[in-house]
Amino acid sequence: DADVTQTPRNRITKTGKRIMLECSQTKGHDRMYWYRQDPGLGLRLIYYSFDVKDINKGEISDGYSVSRQAQAKFSLSLESAIPNQTALYFCATSENGANYGYTFGSGTRLTVV
Amino acid sequence: QKEVEQNSGPLSVPEGAIASLNCTYSDRGSQSFFWYRQYSGKSPELIMSIYSNGDKEDGRFTAQLNKASQYVSLLIRDSQPSDSATYLCAGTRAGNEKLTFGTGTRLTIIP
């Protein structure tokens, strides 16, 4: 089984719908992150969490919310999806901060129509 | 100015040659740097990390860091078709909790 698991792998949703992307990890890492990737724009940070009680906004948090249900689980929600949220979404984890790099999940390809 | 900049490519290199990928960064406080490989539609995979000035070698890969010039590079020797991918450069400050990524360079190895 993968160390960092994202569900669903692919999702098509309609404008205005609420959608949740889920991430779970078995690495025992405290730090978890949500990024989106768009062609030409690279990976951009949406939210990150250092532990269950610590949630931080990234550079593009508008239109998104997150929940850290447990050390191993970090969910990303789009409260009212819009077409420009169509992207590839990655969850990542790190041990002891970013100085050791991240482990990424396999990604969720989200299409908002 | 982006914090981490890469030439988007595409960069085409013949099989067996050396591929050279470059990255510059604007934050002089950046201490740790990483190279990720990403195949199309897949997640980024960490292939090299570098923290000190100079070269760091791992198999066919060599990462180079020059903090004075704010420059990071990745050399791939004896390039193989399986090296065809997008390579992401990322950096972070000491004690920082998040990485800043470049937009990636697409590398194609020509058989």
Side-chain angles (χ1 to χ4, degrees):
Chain A
D1 289 341
D3 293 326
V4 183
T5 302
Q6 289 185 236
T7 56
R9 292 296 307 275
N10 293 281
R11 181 74 179 266
I12 300 174
T13 192
K14 294 184 177 181
T15 298
K17 292 291 187 181
R18 184 180 188 274
I19 183 169
M20 179 182 288
L21 309 183
E22 300 195 28
C23 177
S24 62
Q25 53 116 345
T26 59
K27 296 189 73 69
H29 291 170
D30 289 328
R31 278 82 169 163
M32 298 187 74
Y33 308 80
W34 275 104
Y35 282 83
R36 64 176 281 176
Q37 187 174 39
D38 301 272
L41 296 178
L43 285 160
R44 293 182 292 165
L45 182 62
I46 306 172
Y47 271 96
Y48 58 108
S49 169
F50 298 162
D51 63 38
V52 174
K53 297 180 180 179
D54 186 270
I55 304 289
N56 303 277
K57 292 184 177 181
E59 58 184 302
I60 55 163
S61 59
D62 288 349
Y64 301 95
S65 63
V66 291
S67 173
R68 185 81 184 266
Q69 301 96 322
Q71 186 208 33
K73 296 183 182 294
F74 192 35
S75 300
L76 176 72
S77 293
L78 287 68
E79 296 300 327
S80 180
I82 56 177
N84 76 1
Q85 291 178 313
T86 293
L88 187 55
Y89 289 83
F90 288 106
C91 174
T93 72
S94 72
E95 180 181 14
N96 296 325
N99 286 306
Y100 298 94
Y102 293 163
T103 300
F104 282 89
S106 54
T108 294
R109 185 169 295 281
L110 176 66
T111 304
V112 183
V113 298
Chain B
Q1 181 186 12
K2 291 184 183 293
E3 289 188 38
V4 178
E5 294 207 49
Q6 298 179 252
N7 187 323
S8 62
L11 175 65
S12 296
V13 173
E15 183 176 356
I18 296 175
S20 177
L21 302 161
N22 304 315
C23 171
T24 59
Y25 60 94
S26 60
D27 183 358
R28 284 197 172 274
S30 295
Q31 298 280 338
S32 306
F33 299 90
F34 306 88
W35 283 100
Y36 284 83
R37 177 177 62 202
Q38 186 178 23
Y39 294 114
S40 181
K42 302 297 185 183
S43 59
E45 173 193 9
L46 180 63
I47 55 172
M48 289 290 287
S49 59
I50 187 164
Y51 306 99
S52 303
N53 277 327
D55 294 359
K56 178 181 178 182
E57 186 175 320
D58 184 0
R60 295 187 297 111
F61 299 98
T62 298
Q64 299 175 318
L65 174 59
N66 183 324
K67 291 186 178 181
S69 300
Q70 297 178 242
Y71 181 91
V72 189
S73 65
L74 178 70
L75 302 178
I76 306 174
R77 290 182 299 282
D78 187 22
S79 296
Q80 303 296 310
S82 59
D83 294 326
S84 297
T86 296
Y87 289 80
L88 304 173
C89 173
T92 187
R93 283 175 162 258
N96 203 331
E97 300 291 349
K98 48 186 170 60
L99 296 180
T100 299
F101 288 86
T103 54
T105 298
R106 187 156 57 93
L107 173 66
T108 300
I109 305 302
I110 304 168

